[in-house]
Amino acid sequence: MEKMSRVTTALGSNSITGRTMFCHLDAPANAISVCRDATQVVVAGRNIFKIYALEEEQFVEKLNLRVGRKPSLNFSCADVMWHQMEENLLATAATNGAVVTWNLGKPSRNKQDQLFTEHKRTVNKVCFHPTEVYMLLSGSQDGFMKCFDLRKKESVSTFSGQSESVRDVQFSMKDYFTFAASFENGNVQLWDIRRPDRYERMFTAHTGPVFCCDWHPDDRGWLATGGRDKMVKVWDMTTNRAKEIYCVQTIASVARVKWRPERKFHLATCSMMVDHNIYVWDIRRPFIPFATFEEHKDVTTGIVWRHQHDPHYLLSGSKDSTLYQHMFKDATRPVDKANPEGLCFGLMGDLAFAVNESLISSDASRKPYPGGDRRYPFFSFKKANPTEQFAHVSSTLSVFETDLDSNCMDWFVKTAQLYLLSGKPFTELCDHNAKVAQELKRPQVSTTWTMLRIMFSEPAPGPNQNLSKLGSLPLMNSFSMKDLGSVMGPEGRLERHKGESRQDNIHLEPGNSHISNNNEENEETEGSDGPTEYMFGDAELDDDDLYPMEHENQAVPEEQVYTLPPEAFQLRHEIIDNPSAPEHLQQDKADSPHVSGNEAEVTCLTPIETVSLISISQPLYSPHLHGSFFCPIVREMLSHYAEQGDVQMAVSVLIVLGERIRKEIDDLTQEHWYMSYIDLLQRFELWNVSNEVIKLSTCSAITCLNQTSTTLHINCSNCKRPMSNKGWICDRCRQCASACAVCHHVVKGLFVWCQGCSHGGHLEHIMNWLKNNSHCPAGCGHMCEYT
Amino acid sequence: MASSSAPGFAFQANGSENPSQAPDTGGSSRYRSDSESEIYPTAKSLSRLCSRDRDERAAALEELSQKVLVCLGLDRPGSARLSKQTLLHLLRLSRSCPLQEVRMRASELLCTAQEEGIEVPRALASGPSAFIPAKEMFTEGPNQDMLIESFLSLGRVDHLAMVMALHPSYLSCFLRTQHALFELDGPLPRDWRHYISIMAAARHHCSYMVQQHSMAFLEAGGEESWLSGLEHAPTKLRGLQTLNKLLAHRPWLITQQHIQELVCAGAEPRWSLAELIHAVILMAHTHSLCSFVWGCGLNPEPDHIGGHTFCPPSPSHIPHSPAHEDGRQELADGAVEVEVLMKRMVELQQQEEECTQEEMVTRFERERSESIPTAVVRGAPPELVLNLVEEPEFRYEDFAPRGEQSPPIMRAQDYSWEDHGFSLVQRLLPDMGQFLDEEFQVVSNLTYHRMAMHEGVDTYTLRKALWNYIHCLYGIRYDDYDYGSVNVLLERSLKVFVKTVACHPEQTTAHIYHDFWRHFRHSEKVHANLIVMEARLQAALLYTLRAITYYMR
């Protein structure tokens, strides 16, 4: 231990100076290592093996160890290590499987000292014991680790990793006898150097190869590992089972990991592929690197801290044939550039938004949003830790709430539960759903259902009959001026919730049966009807506000409107601007249907539709029209609903109409609607409805949702081993596995079991048993509960 | 050579016999459209046959036979004729469906049709492979389950799967990879994927693969005209030609310039890196699969051109592949040879002998440049294939012919699949790296601990030698491998076979197949083929991935 103390004091007597600098090498480097006093660095690669002196301003080549006319493969190094006790001693791992030691004190040009050719495959790593001069460890692709005593000609012990390639070996800094080895299959093993027969412990650290590991220089229990799965993990090895205490997700496979001296939570990593940067992480802040060095142009292959006790100098070698010294003060700090903010939508339409406080305050002139902008204090303010050196960002969280009555999604839940989607004739389904919508005060939706029924039901004998039927429907509503006035008031609110379909409830209030009285008459009488007409005017305003885009489309029908009998609109001039669907349609139906006609019908779905429906009911029943005639309209109607946010309506109609409409809408759109609706249903925990929708859908992508993860793995109740075959008999212990705890017969069918004691049986038996008893029927003493 | 009835030949011979029936590639698809217009909806009934529900299958089978019988006019006179497509489907079912009831019913229907005086097709081949007797294939047990699974999910069991089923653990991961490559989400559209495979297969004149993918290509909605020649395909696809050519024959010539031409901003139309890597994997996968198809002498599928005939069998002609018998003579010295090989393997494992670095290099060079005569150059490839190849004369050449300046060899330690290739693929085409990794691992660990008549043998050294020999042919060198053992373990006839299959697959003959490892089981020879195929795939991928890595730098 005397030597140890010498090392630790070395820094004090000879403090390091320098700057960020680099030098060109002749060939790509595979590994680098520094000598104990931090004055020299050795670079090794396939075609390079040199020692450079680290001077104040530059690297100076001191020695080329690659001698001979035709250097052998023994010089082709995969790894190199400079002994930390003996400054003349180096070891390299060669790609051909040789382990070579070099003695710089030799007088001859060739400094090669010992050559061990015991490994059959490439040696990936060599490691000197931190305090023992003659002890060297190697790990190879052939799956063996060997420990060499440099005074002897061959290895003193061999450790077998069970034929899996060894990627890294590291002696523990504090436990004299312990070393860690990482493997290509993702395992990490701990060995006692005195016991070559068996590892002390093993755990799976990564999926795929573990390329590197590093013991914490101060904390004896901590081991950092890096793998191809792009993770760096820190393990606490002091407990019985290796416990993962920190995990950093990087963006590429991790080739090397090195703890930063004197900084308990910092480590440096570099990647094997694609990413050329070196990152220094604070493992407590795993989402963003603490510092980055971006100098290299190709992957970094070796990193080492210049001195064991100086955190400010990092050396790195790279495939781009350069050797760098990085000063920590010159590093890029990604945190400074990061702009932490977050945005999330709530189920009820709320919007939460967190952003750096400084950004918010700079925008002081901003007016608070009407109704909803609420700022929340940051809940868990992390106490600033001076050792952490991380920029602290305090954020404000703003929540924009939709106001209470529009916030309520009850209608969605109720509708989902009450709608009938299958199991009855088409017309009944429509009627039922119309009634549901009506009861929930959504007349527009209700009307849509009724229209669908009319459009797609089988042609009826005569128009008169239909009309009378129509008259009996509950959809014949009208507006009273008073109602309208009151609901039209909060204009801003309407505007704000434009994307949602809730305004339906507002516009069409059932009650005043002004128009239903008139519904048997034709539209001309309607026109002369004062109140109705006034309503038109109001509705127009509303219409313009809500559908500014459709306004343009209406230009075409407008032309036709001019040809209509003027007396229908004599009282108010503006009425002409509003395409009055009834007249237009009537004309249209007489002509061949064209695009403008369809568009006009879509606008019928706006609040004035009640009127329009009544009016067009007659032309609809011209006997020539087949259901498929309406398909384009219905298609647009569905898109309209979906775009308004009422995907529920779109999907429900899709299911109810089934084959009648399916071919009209492309599969991707259908799938998208289904997915959105199912997602919504599941967020509202309407599992049954969502399942029904999945079952009724015809999109293959949707129906297969129910076919995923349908396997339930069970263990045999006797031998506790997994049941591999189907059936009731465990093929290991030849016993019936699932016996009912009450009747002791095999359960074939519904099996219910207690998750506490895992006893169970026939559903019925267990239910009955637990009605009268509270303990497990098997007599195990567990208090089972049936809910 | 009479025994050389490899797929390509069979096709040629047959194509000239029945020019009216199988004139061109358009043929198969034209029949398809014929069948659509008829009352018998082939595709639909067939997909129902693949239902996982046993009753559903039974019902579909019943329906199918009803329809065929109706067509045959047993119920009413003058009904529609059976289409050729239908007959071929029936033929295929009767030959290769792993479900016995389906197989039986299909044969019965064909018999009935024949009795009704309809010309019924007859498969020309007696089994999936021209080299391997059919009786080696139909083994019961777990392999069968795998085939049934394959039938249910893919709708057919092709000869490829039947031969691979000799190694079920490989087959299952192969099918997964295949599925991921061609079916799962990826940057390339489905028809393109198949067309790229067609382009790749055409380079090796492999009409088997070309036809397999042509069918899939049309099923995926591909445009029929593309199949008649490369010039009909979009420019973007044609841009792959150079890469395809190099990848197939001399992957070591691929440089970052080739990648740059396709990917960089100036290139028009431009490939994205993800698309490119997908295409590269497709091509490399298909190239190596061609090696397998030729190396195992796969017969054309019954519904391929050249896989069937409508002529009644002539009495003198018994439909068998002529190759079967000649390779099977038991040699008296057979047992001795195997034992010598085993002894060498044991010696190699114990050997502590040291040799100089120079000696090691020489050994590698010797293996690399050893002249292995590959079989005679074949006649022109079938026209069907030729239209899809540009520069057909570009072929494999020895990595470094004697006396010439060799391109730098690739050191396995500097760019390996495990460390570098995997990460790159995984990054650009998520999950694909995982599938390929699994494939490589299954192949490198596949062993049954037996050799010919011996059990309990560690075949690691032999497998390793085979793998490294192929990589050596492609100029990849392992620093830590002694290439002297390749010479010790691989007899010359085996080297001839391996080099032919890996580098000139279209020149494989039954003769060289039967010439190596004469006392080994066929399944062991298929195992050797699997190693060749995967090693070749990895070598080609490594070169391309390295070029892409350099490009991305």
Side-chain angles (χ1 to χ4, degrees), chain B residues 14 84 88 91 121-124 302-310:
Chain B
N14 206 32
K84 179 176 170 183
L88 287 179
L91 176 65
R122 180 169 62 78
L124 280 173
D303 52 349
H304 279 180
I305 303 164
H308 61 270
T309 175
F310 280 85

Side-chain angles (χ1 to χ4, degrees), chain A residues 30-215:
Chain A
N30 276 346
I32 61 173
S33 184
V34 284
C35 74
R36 188 193 61 198
D37 58 4
T39 55
Q40 294 178 72
V41 58
V42 56
V43 184
R46 174 171 291 284
N47 295 312
I48 185 174
F49 190 19
K50 281 182 181 171
I51 293 179
Y52 288 87
L54 289 153
E55 301 198 343
E56 193 93 342
E57 294 290 310
Q58 60 188 345
F59 290 98
V60 174
E61 183 179 328
K62 278 278 292 275
L63 187 61
N64 187 357
L65 288 157
R66 205 176 151 80
V67 292
R69 210 164 24 84
K70 209 179 170 192
S72 81
L73 273 181
N74 290 342
F75 285 101
S76 162
C77 306
D79 191 36
V80 63
M81 181 153 180
W82 204 315
H83 203 297
Q84 292 303 298
M85 304 301 303
E86 175 57 65
E87 58 191 16
N88 277 333
L89 195 52
L90 292 165
T92 58
T95 51
N96 64 351
V99 174
V100 194
T101 60
W102 312 80
N103 186 353
L104 301 181
K106 268 192 169 186
S108 64
R109 259 187 84 224
N110 190 349
K111 311 283 185 194
Q112 181 171 330
D113 192 19
Q114 293 250 48
L115 177 69
F116 304 98
T117 52
E118 294 182 30
H119 284 295
K120 288 206 173 62
R121 306 273 319 267
T122 300
V123 180
N124 288 317
K125 191 77 193 171
V126 283
C127 184
F128 281 114
H129 195 277
T131 53
E132 200 61 52
V133 177
Y134 295 110
M135 200 186 282
L136 174 67
L137 190 65
S138 67
S140 157
Q141 200 72 18
D142 63 11
F144 293 102
M145 293 143 280
K146 286 178 188 283
C147 182
F148 302 96
D149 184 332
L150 300 184
R151 291 161 298 194
K152 293 179 182 162
K153 286 260 176 278
E154 53 198 33
S155 64
V156 286
S157 43
T158 300
F159 311 85
S160 165
Q162 259 77 47
S163 84
E164 273 299 333
S165 303
V166 187
R167 299 307 300 240
D168 200 356
V169 284
Q170 292 288 343
F171 275 110
S172 164
M173 302 297 255
K174 303 282 170 181
D175 289 326
Y176 185 87
F177 295 112
T178 309
F179 72 88
S182 73
F183 291 86
E184 200 143 85
N185 62 354
N187 287 344
V188 169
Q189 295 178 353
L190 282 198
W191 289 81
D192 186 318
I193 201 85
R194 297 161 296 184
R195 291 196 54 195
D197 53 329
R198 212 191 126 67
Y199 52 80
E200 298 285 292
R201 62 158 68 154
M202 177 169 84
F203 59 95
T204 303
H206 294 264
T207 51
V210 188
F211 286 137
C212 52
C213 58
D214 195 33
W215 289 96

Side-chain angles (χ1 to χ4, degrees), chain B residues 466-483:
Chain B
L466 207 49
W467 181 277
N468 286 353
Y469 177 61
I470 297 149
H471 273 194
C472 165
L473 291 175
Y474 278 90
I476 296 176
R477 176 169 171 203
Y478 290 82
D479 284 343
D480 53 0
Y481 189 73
D482 175 7
Y483 286 85

Side-chain angles (χ1 to χ4, degrees), chain A residues 46 72-74 76 95-96 117 120-122 167 211 228 251 253 272-274 276 297-298, chain B residues 349 354 357-358 411 413-415 418-420 422-424 427 437 460 477 479-480 549 552-553:
Chain A
R46 174 171 291 284
S72 81
L73 273 181
N74 290 342
S76 162
T95 51
N96 64 351
T117 52
K120 288 206 173 62
R121 306 273 319 267
T122 300
R167 299 307 300 240
F211 286 137
R228 193 171 71 180
I251 58 168
S253 58
M272 191 167 273
M273 276 296 288
V274 190
H276 309 159
K297 304 282 184 291
D298 199 345
Chain B
Q349 270 181 325
E354 265 316 302
Q357 295 305 317
E358 288 73 23
R411 307 291 192 131
Q413 273 78 6
D414 287 354
Y415 202 95
E418 287 78 15
D419 291 4
H420 307 95
F422 173 88
S423 301
L424 185 62
R427 184 186 184 93
D437 199 44
Y460 175 78
R477 176 169 171 203
D479 284 343
D480 53 0
T549 310
M552 287 170 72
R553 212 161 43 177

